[in-house]
Amino acid sequence: MNALKSILVAIILAISTSFYAQTADEVIDNYFENTGGKENWEKLEGLEMIGVMKMQGMEIPFEQLSTKDGKQVVTIEIQGNRMVWSAFNGETSWERNQMTMEAEKSNNEATENKKKQVKDFPDPLLNYKEKGYTVELIGKETVDGTETFKIKLTKDPILINGESKPNISHYYFDTENFVPIIVETEINEGPMKGQVVKSSISDYQEVNGVYFPFTISNQFQTMGFKEIKLNPEIDAAIFEFPEKIVETKKE
C-alpha cells in the first residue's frame, strides 16, 4: 500500500512539474510574441543603446554596444571627456581603474564569467533550452499593485573566488501584457554580497518592429535610453584593449 502511495505521489509530482514547465514556456512565448515576434529577435546581430545613467546625484551619458558573438563595450562621458569605460572582445575583458583611469585587464575568473554571458544576447530567455538554461514558474505574485507571473531562470554557474556558484534570476511578468516589469538578481561578491538587486523595467517602445524597455532602475542607479539601434555598423577596434604608447626621448 505504501509503495502504491509513493507511485501515485511520484506521478502527481511529474504531472505538476510538466504543467508548470509548459506554463512558464507559454509566458515566455507570449513575451517574445508581444515584443516583436521570436523571428525578429533571432535576427538581431548587434544592439547599440544610447542614454543617460543617473547615480549618486550624477548624470552620465553612455553608449552600450553588444553583439551576438559576445563582444561588449561601454563608452561614457564625464565632464566633457568621452572614453571607453569597459570592453570585452570575446577573449580579453578590461575596464578602467576608477582612481587612475587607466585601462586594466580583468582577471581570468572575471573573463571566464564574461564568456559565459555570450549566450545571453539579445535576451537570456530567448531559446533558453538551447543555451542549457532552465526556467520554473514559481506562481503569481502582486508587485506594486500589478499581478505578475514569477519565473525563476537558472543559467550556467559563475565562478566566485574559484568556486562555482548558482546563477539565478527571478523575472516578474505583467499578466496582462506578458512583459517583464521586475528582474531580481543576487550580488555574489564584494561588499554587497548577498544583497538582491531589484531592477524595475518600464517604458517599452518599438524599435524597427521589436519592443525594448527604455527605462531600467534599481536601488543604485537609473538608466534612461534615448535611442536604441538594431544591427549597427561596428568598428571591431573599439573592443580591443588600449595598449599604452611608450614615448621615447629624442637625443
Side-chain angles (χ1 to χ4, degrees):
M1 191 67 176
N2 288 334
L4 179 59
K5 287 183 178 179
S6 298
I7 293 172
L8 289 174
V9 169
I11 292 173
I12 291 171
L13 287 174
I15 293 173
S16 176
T17 301
S18 175
F19 169 75
Y20 281 115
Q22 290 174 3
T23 304
D25 284 338
E26 288 174 359
V27 173
I28 293 169
D29 288 344
N30 281 325
Y31 160 50
F32 287 113
E33 182 63 29
N34 290 353
T35 55
K38 190 176 178 181
E39 289 185 2
N40 284 332
W41 278 94
E42 290 175 337
K43 291 177 183 177
L44 295 177
E45 298 290 333
L47 287 173
E48 184 176 5
M49 311 180 88
I50 303 168
V52 175
M53 178 173 60
K54 298 179 181 180
M55 60 182 298
Q56 298 178 346
M58 298 185 298
E59 292 191 3
I60 304 173
F62 73 93
E63 295 180 16
Q64 179 178 316
L65 181 63
S66 54
T67 67
K68 190 173 184 177
D69 58 0
K71 296 182 177 67
Q72 302 173 20
V73 64
V74 175
T75 303
I76 66 172
E77 185 178 316
I78 299 180
Q79 298 179 341
N81 296 318
R82 191 171 184 273
M83 68 185 79
V84 174
W85 187 254
S86 63
F88 177 58
N89 66 3
E91 292 295 331
T92 302
S93 174
W94 63 271
E95 61 183 21
R96 293 193 183 274
N97 184 300
Q98 294 187 29
M99 300 298 293
T100 66
M101 303 305 287
E102 294 289 338
E104 297 179 351
K105 291 183 179 180
S106 304
N107 58 35
N108 291 337
E109 187 171 272
T111 301
E112 287 304 310
N113 287 333
K114 275 284 187 182
K115 290 179 179 179
K116 291 183 178 183
Q117 294 176 11
V118 171
K119 296 188 291 186
D120 288 355
F121 181 92
D123 188 304
L125 293 167
L126 183 66
N127 299 323
Y128 74 88
K129 291 179 182 177
E130 297 174 13
K131 299 172 181 178
Y133 300 166
T134 61
V135 300
E136 177 187 356
L137 177 63
I138 304 299
K140 285 187 177 181
E141 189 169 320
T142 300
V143 180
D144 298 330
T146 301
E147 186 179 54
T148 68
F149 293 111
K150 182 178 180 180
I151 287 182
K152 176 183 177 181
L153 170 67
T154 303
K155 303 193 294 182
D156 294 338
I158 58 175
L159 291 173
I160 303 295
N161 297 324
E163 295 184 18
S164 181
K165 299 290 185 180
N167 190 4
I168 296 171
S169 299
H170 289 95
Y171 286 73
Y172 295 80
F173 289 82
D174 180 345
T175 57
E176 181 179 354
N177 300 305
F178 290 94
V179 295
I181 59 172
I182 297 285
V183 177
E184 291 178 341
T185 55
E186 183 177 333
I187 298 175
N188 290 299
E189 59 182 331
M192 294 183 291
K193 181 180 179 180
Q195 187 168 344
V196 175
V197 178
K198 181 180 178 181
S199 297
S200 299
I201 304 172
S202 60
D203 191 20
Y204 281 83
Q205 298 181 35
E206 185 266 337
V207 181
N208 297 337
V210 182
Y211 284 80
F212 295 90
F214 271 64
T215 301
I216 301 175
S217 61
N218 56 44
Q219 57 265 54
F220 305 110
Q221 63 188 26
T222 296
M223 292 190 297
F225 300 107
K226 295 181 177 179
E227 183 179 8
I228 296 178
K229 300 178 181 179
L230 310 187
N231 302 326
E233 292 186 7
I234 299 172
D235 179 2
I238 195 172
F239 302 106
E240 301 302 324
F241 181 78
E243 301 291 348
K244 290 184 179 179
I245 300 175
V246 179
E247 296 184 356
T248 57
K249 294 182 179 180
K250 294 183 180 179
E251 296 182 0

